[in-house]
């Protein structure tokens, strides 16, 4: 199919200093959980995006010196020749598809507390980075940089730039964002210096300007130099001479870099969940930059709609369409637009499971794209599978897992029948996506159903509940059971170990709410699942006018939401909706009128009025259908939530794997283990310095 003419503008080349991006699709630096310890995993992950049509593909944060050590978070480095070798694998993979490779040179300053290298963190004025976000909290405090430290910092950037060019990078970033060292020089709250690097905005931008110059000079103008800058706080600071300090700073730096990459300051706003932020949510903060500079500007906004992308360019907000999450969910997004197949884009749902992977310290995982992070280890490609399927498969259950299994088995060439008991496909997402803010999560279903409906070898049957006899009568060569999980009414003790179901009047689980049971208020929601369900149900009940109290054994609402950047907004949503929030409490008893709670640490008891109690605690998988078929000796696989109840991402990944491996030859299933390059591999007697 041909590209729609209105999208042609997205495929125009863009000059970035001495380099030219082949189109406007720019995979901006983003965390992948992949470090120099996994060079091939990283290269395959990034290279896949180049194959999918992204014109520029970047690394994540890449430390310029051991005084910038983010452990236990995964980060890359450019400290020595072994690191050069590790990055060269990635730049080769990116160049192989005609894309430019960019590296985000990074010094974390006070926000990187050097847990492994144990250097004292560096800062402009000794002001600590006090964030309580996962992994950032620390008992270490930074020291004040003197002029020698500033000279060192500039030299480290220059040396890292030389290594970056050796590794094959085309675009070198100076990173003044997200609380990291150059950002701290820009913001007066962190920068209280009285020398030439502090005070007026002109002095505060000095370091950033010198870093840009140093990187450019170190590579003799051969590489493009980008400035990545966070503007949220600066834009909120007043200025005597401009609409905000952000305007002043950009005006002062307008001719310094070859490219501006503009963003927010905090992970929760920069990478905001779709539950609380829509596509293009950065625009009100970054929209002015393009008007102050003639250098190209790239920015993100979880863009998946090509019409929105065109509008960003035509309205003069951005020159290049930045993508982090959309490029993870669909590395082939640009190619699909180019080939007139934009309705086949696997759109990011904004769930932030990807960012939770970084917080977990592991390779990126994605709800929509189960192949993310598996390109090299398992050899999974996001668009193609081996076409080796022979015979028929019956997939029972049309939730995320069943749909993913059917799709991948169909692509392998099996004759696939998908049987779903309900009138509609979608499983748990049919209802969950109707909870406040979760509408975009149904893209998991829309994408897969859209693909399945085009496949001649797949037939979809709704309103088809399958028991063991129906399955046997159907007579498929293989059976995949993906029948989902159920919520239990189990409580938990102060030690958070699940106990037994609570038996009392008007006790409900999320499955009851999904079935539409009428709830009498006031209602309490007791959450020890700690993901979105407890908070989303509270919002749902409050929206019906019910007086709602959220109770959790954890220290904050939706405790695991700190991993997905949801936690701040959950508390804000509770406040807007008038939902009471009681933390560090477990349910001791409930009689249909009053709820007895006890504090998990002190044991102190209190009672609150509640006519209904919703328990959001433990889910139970398992499948009587699977048990009966297995015991009867049938070739059957159990997958998705029925196998192990978890987030949708886990169900989709499990089902994808089950479908790839069903009846596959053992030689077709391999799991490779990556290994780092080391200085000692580069020659006798060569050891790394740090
Ligand atoms: P998962 O996340 O693992 O896909 P879901 O709970 O979302 O799990 O989906 C499971 C689907 O399986 C539901 O749509 C449910 O209606 C369907 N299902 C459960 N049991 C049967 C059955 N015996 N026959 C057909 N469909 C079933
Ligand atoms: Fe988007 Fe969720 Fe995938 Fe992240 S994990 S890229 S937010 S779909």
């Amino acid at each position: 199919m041909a590209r729609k003419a209105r999208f042609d503008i997205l495929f125009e080349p863009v000059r970035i200093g001495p380099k030219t991006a082949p189109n406007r699709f720019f995979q901006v630096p983003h965390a992948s959980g992949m470090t120099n310890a996994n060079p091939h995993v990283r290269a395959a992950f990034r290279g896949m995006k180049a194959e999918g049509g992204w014109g520029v593909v970047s690394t994540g944060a890449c430390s310029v010196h051991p005084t910038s050590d983010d452990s236990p978070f995964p980060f890359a480095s450019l400290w020595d020749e072994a690191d050069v070798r590790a990055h060269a694998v990635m730049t080769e993979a990116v160049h192989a598809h005609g894309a430019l490779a960019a590296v985000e040179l990074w010094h974390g300053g006070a926000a990187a507390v050097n847990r492994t290298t144990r250097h004292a963190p560096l800062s402009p004025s000794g002001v600590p980075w006090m964030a309580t976000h996962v992994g950032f909290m620390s008992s270490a405090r930074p020291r004040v940089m003197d002029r020698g430290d500033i000279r060192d910092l500039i030299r480290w950037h220059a040396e890292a730039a030389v290594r970056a060019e050796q590794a094959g990078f085309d675009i070198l970033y100076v990173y003044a964002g997200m609380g990291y060292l150059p950002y701290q020089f820009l913001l007066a709250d962190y920068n209280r210096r009285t020398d030439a690097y502090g005070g007026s905005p002109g002095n505060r931008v000095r370091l950033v300007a010198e870093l840009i110059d140093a990187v450019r000079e170190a590579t003799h103008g051969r590489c493009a130099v980008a400035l990545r800058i966070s503007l949220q706080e600066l834009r909120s600071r007043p200025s005597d001479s401009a609409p905000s300090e952000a305007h002043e700073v950009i005006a002062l730096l307008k001719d310094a870099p070859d490219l501006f990459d503009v963003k927010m300051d905090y992970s929760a706003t920069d990478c905001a969940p779709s539950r609380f932020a829509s596509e293009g949510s950065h625009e009100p903060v970054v929209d002015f930059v393009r008007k102050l500079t003639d250098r190209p500007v790239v920015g993100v906004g979880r863009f998946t709609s090509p019409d929105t992308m065109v509008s960003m360019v035509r309205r003069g907000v951005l020159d290049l369409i930045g993508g982090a999450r959309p490029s993870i969910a669909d590395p082939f997004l640009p190619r699909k637009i180019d080939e007139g197949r934009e309705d086949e884009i696997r759109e990011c749902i904004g769930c932030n499971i990807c960012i939770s992977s970084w917080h977990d310290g592991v390779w990126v995982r994605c709800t929509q794209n189960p192949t993310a992070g598996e390109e090299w280890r398992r050899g999974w490609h996001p668009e193609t599978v081996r076409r080796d399927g022979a015979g028929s498969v019956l997939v029972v259950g049309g939730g995320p897992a069943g749909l993913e299994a059917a799709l991948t088995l169909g692509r392998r060439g099996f004759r696939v029948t998908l049987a779903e008991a309900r009138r509609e496909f979608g499983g748990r997402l049919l209802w969950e996506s109707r909870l406040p803010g979760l509408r975009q999560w149904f893209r998991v279903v829309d994408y897969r159903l859209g693909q399945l409906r085009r496949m001649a070898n797949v037939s979809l049957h709704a309103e088809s509940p399958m028991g063991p006899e129906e399955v046997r009568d159907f007579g498929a060569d293989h059976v995949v059971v993906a029948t989902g999980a159920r919520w239990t009414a189990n409580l938990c003790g102060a030690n958070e170990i699940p106990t037994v179901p609570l038996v009392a009047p008007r006790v409900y689980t999320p499955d009851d709410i999904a079935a539409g049971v009428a709830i009498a208020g006031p209602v309490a929601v007791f959450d020890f699942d700690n993901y979105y369900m407890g908070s989303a149900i509270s919002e749902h009940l409050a929206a019906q006018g019910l007086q709602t109290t959220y109770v959790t054994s954890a220290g904050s609402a939706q405790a695991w939401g700190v991993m997905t950047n949801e936690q701040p907004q959950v508390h804000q949503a509770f406040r807007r909706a008038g939902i009471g929030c009681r933390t560090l409490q477990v349910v001791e008893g409930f009689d249909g009128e009053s709820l007895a709670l006890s504090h998990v640490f002190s044991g102190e008891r209190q009672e609150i009025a509640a006519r209904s109690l919703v328990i959001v605690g433990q889910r139970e998988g398992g499948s009587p259908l699977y048990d009966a078929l297995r015991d009867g000796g049938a070739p059957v696989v159990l997958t998705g939530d029925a196998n192990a109840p978890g987030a949708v991402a886990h169900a989709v990944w499990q089902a994808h794997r089950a479908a790839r491996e069903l009846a596959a030859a053992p030689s077709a299933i391999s799991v490779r283990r990556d290994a780092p390059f080391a200085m000692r591999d580069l020659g006798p007697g060569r050891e790394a310095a740090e």
Side-chain angles (χ1 to χ4, degrees):
M1 268 185 289
R3 178 168 87 209
K4 316 265 183 308
R6 70 180 192 278
F7 301 142
D8 285 352
I9 191 171
L10 299 174
F11 293 87
E12 291 171 353
V14 179
R15 260 198 95 71
I16 305 174
K19 304 285 178 177
T20 301
N23 59 40
R24 295 185 189 269
F25 294 93
F26 193 121
Q27 182 249 281
V28 295
H30 72 79
S32 68
M34 296 160 194
T35 68
N36 291 20
N38 348 96
H40 300 93
V41 170
R42 183 173 61 190
F45 172 70
R46 301 289 184 192
M48 192 62 78
K49 303 189 197 208
E51 184 182 336
W54 294 85
V56 181
V57 177
S58 312
T59 63
C62 185
S63 169
V64 295
H65 188 263
T67 50
S68 179
D69 152 31
D70 219 9
S71 55
F73 289 134
F75 65 97
S77 55
L78 257 171
W79 297 348
D80 59 28
E81 282 173 64
D83 286 351
V84 170
R85 226 172 128 172
H87 285 290
V89 189
M90 175 220 159
T91 60
E92 278 163 28
V94 169
H95 290 156
H97 300 285
L100 298 178
V103 59
E104 185 179 50
L105 301 180
W106 164 75
H107 198 295
V113 294
N114 303 329
R115 289 181 176 89
T116 300
T117 61
R118 301 208 64 181
H119 291 284
L122 297 176
S123 69
S125 305
V127 180
W129 177 253
M130 300 296 282
T132 53
H133 199 64
V134 201
F136 281 107
M137 230 186 326
S138 168
S139 53
R141 297 289 178 262
R143 72 177 176 84
V144 179
M145 294 169 73
D146 61 20
R147 290 298 285 265
D149 293 318
I150 291 178
R151 278 195 297 275
D152 284 345
L153 180 73
I154 294 169
R155 179 170 52 82
W156 298 333
H157 273 77
E159 290 168 357
V162 171
R163 291 187 201 109
E165 190 186 16
Q166 283 167 3
F169 287 107
D170 306 285
I171 303 174
L172 318 182
Y173 268 75
V174 168
Y175 190 10
M178 304 287 279
Y180 298 128
L181 189 48
Y183 168 92
Q184 295 193 344
F185 273 82
L186 291 179
L187 211 64
D189 314 53
Y190 289 99
N191 184 347
R192 299 174 186 169
R193 300 178 74 93
T194 52
D195 63 4
Y197 292 89
S200 67
N203 277 0
R204 281 185 269 134
V205 303
R206 188 180 311 280
L207 175 75
V208 170
E210 289 180 359
L211 290 172
I212 292 170
D213 287 348
V215 167
R216 183 173 286 122
E217 280 164 25
T219 53
H220 305 283
R222 289 186 296 260
C223 294
V225 184
L227 172 62
R228 193 170 216 205
I229 184 165
S230 291
L231 296 169
Q232 197 180 349
E233 290 291 349
L234 284 169
R235 188 140 192 200
S236 71
R237 303 289 191 276
S239 155
D240 294 334
S241 58
S244 76
E245 279 211 348
H247 291 73
E248 267 192 87
V249 164
I250 294 293
L252 286 161
L253 292 169
K254 69 184 174 55
D255 299 321
D258 298 312
L259 168 79
F260 280 92
D261 180 338
V262 291
K263 64 184 319 222
M264 309 290 264
D265 300 35
Y266 305 101
S267 192
T269 45
D270 194 57
C271 179
S274 62
R275 196 173 159 187
F276 301 110
S278 54
E279 186 178 25
S281 64
H282 294 199
E283 187 177 334
V285 169
V286 305
D287 57 354
F288 71 96
V289 177
R290 189 69 192 77
K291 298 178 184 74
L292 297 184
T293 177
D294 58 8
R295 303 298 152 95
V297 177
V298 62
V300 296
R302 209 166 48 75
F303 300 120
T304 57
S305 152
D307 286 306
T308 306
M309 298 173 197
V310 169
S311 148
M312 298 303 284
V313 177
R314 291 219 182 278
R315 288 186 297 114
V317 181
L318 300 174
D319 300 287
L320 293 136
I321 302 302
R325 289 174 290 176
S327 74
I328 300 171
D330 197 340
F332 279 65
L333 180 149
R335 279 264 291 265
K336 289 177 182 174
I337 299 171
D338 196 20
E339 292 167 4
R341 298 190 291 126
E342 56 278 358
D343 57 338
E344 293 187 42
I345 294 172
R346 199 169 37 235
E347 289 183 292
C348 166
I349 69 168
C351 61
N352 282 359
I353 283 292
C354 49
I355 192 74
S356 82
S357 321
W358 184 62
H359 292 147
D360 270 341
V362 297
W363 304 341
V364 70
R365 294 164 296 205
C366 173
T367 301
Q368 273 285 53
N369 175 11
T371 69
E374 302 288 7
E375 298 84 356
W376 187 85
R377 178 167 68 167
R378 292 178 192 272
W380 291 357
H381 190 282
E383 298 298 311
T384 56
V385 291
R386 279 183 329 274
R387 245 195 109 70
D388 61 351
S392 60
V393 187
L394 172 65
V395 178
V396 182
L403 290 166
E404 176 62 30
L407 177 59
T408 304
L409 289 162
R411 286 177 173 168
R412 281 185 62 194
F414 287 100
R415 274 176 290 115
V416 178
T417 303
L418 176 60
E420 163 56 47
R422 285 188 252 177
R423 200 178 305 162
E424 290 170 276
F425 293 93
R428 60 190 285 195
L429 287 176
L430 278 170
W431 175 70
E432 290 184 20
S433 64
R434 292 204 282 268
L435 289 169
L438 297 185
R439 191 175 44 84
Q440 290 193 1
W441 288 33
F442 206 67
R443 291 173 169 183
V444 170
V445 179
D446 284 337
Y447 166 72
R448 288 167 177 79
L449 267 184
Q451 294 292 303
L452 286 164
R453 288 195 170 121
R454 297 162 197 230
M455 296 170 80
N457 58 330
V458 175
S459 54
L460 305 172
H461 297 269
E463 297 184 276
S464 304
M466 304 296 283
E469 272 183 34
E470 286 86 0
V471 172
R472 280 188 209 109
D473 289 350
F474 189 82
D477 299 325
H478 307 277
V479 180
V480 174
V481 174
T483 47
R486 298 150 299 283
W487 289 93
T488 72
N490 291 349
L491 289 178
C492 77
N495 53 10
E496 299 186 282
I497 297 176
T499 56
V500 292
L502 175 66
V503 181
R506 294 187 294 281
V507 171
Y508 306 107
T509 70
D511 292 330
D512 298 316
I513 314 288
V517 70
I519 300 289
V523 56
V525 176
F526 176 45
D527 180 14
F528 62 96
D529 170 62
N530 297 325
Y531 194 18
Y532 60 92
M533 184 57 77
S535 63
I537 280 193
S538 300
E539 286 186 77
H540 169 71
L541 295 172
Q544 294 172 21
L546 293 162
Q547 188 190 323
T548 306
T549 304
Y550 171 93
V551 179
T552 179
S553 53
S556 60
Q558 196 185 316
W560 198 74
V562 73
M563 306 295 274
T564 51
N565 291 347
E566 286 166 274
Q567 205 178 66
Q569 290 101 322
V570 165
H571 282 267
Q572 288 155 18
F574 278 10
R575 188 166 166 73
R576 280 195 301 275
I579 297 166
C581 180
R582 287 168 187 261
T583 57
L584 297 173
Q585 308 280 335
V586 289
V587 169
E588 287 274 307
F590 178 63
D591 61 8
E593 297 296 335
S594 158
L595 182 69
L597 304 175
S598 93
H599 192 274
V600 293
F601 297 148
S602 68
E604 187 185 333
R605 284 178 64 105
Q606 54 178 296
E607 297 211 340
I608 62 171
R611 298 209 70 220
S612 306
L613 174 64
V614 182
I615 300 174
V616 184
Q618 196 194 345
R619 287 162 80 214
E620 230 169 42
S623 161
L625 172 63
Y626 170 77
D627 294 343
L629 295 171
R630 181 200 51 200
D631 294 347
V636 58
V637 175
L638 183 68
T639 193
D641 287 326
N643 187 38
V648 175
H650 302 309
V652 169
W653 188 91
Q654 280 189 50
H656 187 85
R657 180 181 172 188
R660 288 232 181 210
E661 297 185 357
L662 188 92
S667 59
I669 305 170
S670 68
V671 186
R672 288 192 285 181
R673 191 167 170 201
D674 209 353
F677 296 105
M679 283 297 284
R680 75 180 75 87
D681 299 332
L682 302 181
R686 303 200 60 188
E687 284 297 333
E690 177 83 35

